[in-house]
Amino acid sequence: LPAEEELAALAADVNALAASLDATERRRLQLIADVSHELRTPLAAIEGFMEGLIDGVIPAEAETFASVAEEAARLKRLAADLSTLSRVDEPSALRRERVDLGELVRKAVDRLRPQFDDQQVALTLELPPLPLMGDPDRLNQVIVNLLLNALAHTPPRGRVTVGGRLHDGQAVVVVTDTGTGIGEHDLERIFERFYRADSSRSGGTGIGLTIAREIARAHRGDLTAHSDGPGRGATFTLTLPSV
């Protein structure tokens, strides 16, 4: 190549690298801001309870201590979720073994069914064996997250249906609920870290769906959401390469 073209190519590569570094730095700063925001609320609550107890404004009763414990548990969940999120896209963090995704789903449904019964939400399951290569612990995280997410947004006497199939070399699990639904503008944003909206499905620490999608993509699959709108339920589809 002529020297001018080589210099132009080098300049383009340098510019691309600079843009990539700039984007990475912006994401890092945004994550710091997001984490700081999420930590502020439970810490402020704990501080308020402690100051009230010291000043004698808040009674030293079991209910007060339970509230403090609840905020502390929220901090613990947030720390655990952030730790999981930081490890999801590390190749060495994923085990690779033959797994029946259908069996994983059935076990998760059996474990969580008492919670559904307690909240009067019907839970039905119908899916075939779904063989694939993956990390059973991480995949279980995805399944449990989707089930609890559906439960959190489905009112009493509602229904959550779990189905699955093999299609074009893919193992597919579909979790459908009759709950609060998702606005069109939120369908992608619910997978962003800490994103919340009136119709948000994230719940908990606001990272659960982010982790679930990252785990799916680390397995060369994906997790998507669909809803006909607020009040019309939602469907989450997990797709992973089968064997």
Side-chain angles (χ1 to χ4, degrees):
L1 288 176
E4 293 81 0
E5 293 186 23
E6 290 183 352
L7 287 174
L10 177 60
D13 289 342
V14 171
N15 288 337
L17 177 60
S20 176
L21 291 173
D22 182 60
T24 299
E25 178 64 10
R26 286 199 303 271
R27 287 195 298 270
R28 185 184 69 83
L29 292 174
Q30 184 61 51
L31 176 59
I32 292 173
D34 290 341
V35 172
S36 298
H37 175 75
E38 292 298 314
L39 291 173
R40 193 175 299 122
T41 301
L43 287 173
I46 291 173
E47 182 181 35
F49 281 121
M50 291 298 100
E51 290 178 351
L53 286 168
I54 292 171
D55 295 339
V57 177
I58 297 177
E61 298 175 347
E63 184 178 349
T64 302
F65 297 127
S67 296
V68 174
E70 183 179 346
E71 295 297 336
R74 180 179 174 188
L75 285 173
K76 184 176 180 180
R77 290 195 304 271
L78 177 59
D81 282 351
L82 286 170
S83 177
T84 298
L85 186 60
S86 71
R87 297 194 308 268
V88 162
D89 51 4
E90 295 178 8
S92 60
L94 285 179
R95 292 156 50 198
R96 295 285 181 180
E97 59 185 72
R98 190 176 182 89
V99 178
D100 180 356
L101 184 60
E103 184 62 21
L104 284 181
V105 174
R106 279 188 287 274
K107 289 181 179 178
V109 165
D110 288 342
R111 288 197 307 273
L112 297 177
R113 190 176 294 279
Q115 296 185 42
F116 281 77
D117 292 342
D118 185 60
Q119 297 189 36
Q120 301 177 50
V121 174
L123 177 59
T124 60
L125 171 69
E126 184 176 349
L127 73 173
L130 300 170
L132 53 81
M133 296 297 293
D135 186 324
D137 293 333
R138 293 292 188 221
L139 293 174
N140 181 67
Q141 281 183 278
V142 176
I143 296 160
V144 170
N145 180 279
L146 293 179
L147 291 172
L148 292 179
N149 183 69
L151 177 61
H153 295 274
T154 303
R157 294 179 293 281
R159 177 177 296 277
V160 174
T161 304
V162 183
R165 63 186 183 276
L166 290 173
H167 179 71
D168 289 341
Q170 302 288 309
V172 182
V173 171
V174 181
V175 179
T176 302
D177 65 63
T178 59
T180 55
I182 310 170
E184 182 179 357
H185 63 288
D186 287 328
L187 282 172
E188 275 301 310
R189 299 198 68 187
I190 57 172
F191 293 105
E192 296 176 9
R193 288 178 303 228
F194 305 118
Y195 179 72
R196 288 186 175 88
D198 290 342
S199 59
S200 174
R201 314 286 296 188
S202 56
T205 60
I207 316 177
L209 290 176
T210 306
I211 292 173
R213 174 175 270 188
E214 290 298 323
I215 291 174
R217 291 181 172 178
H219 283 82
R220 302 189 308 280
D222 205 358
L223 176 63
T224 58
H226 171 79
S227 175
D228 290 330
R232 305 184 67 179
T235 297
F236 285 81
T237 302
L238 173 65
T239 305
L240 299 166
S242 183
V243 293

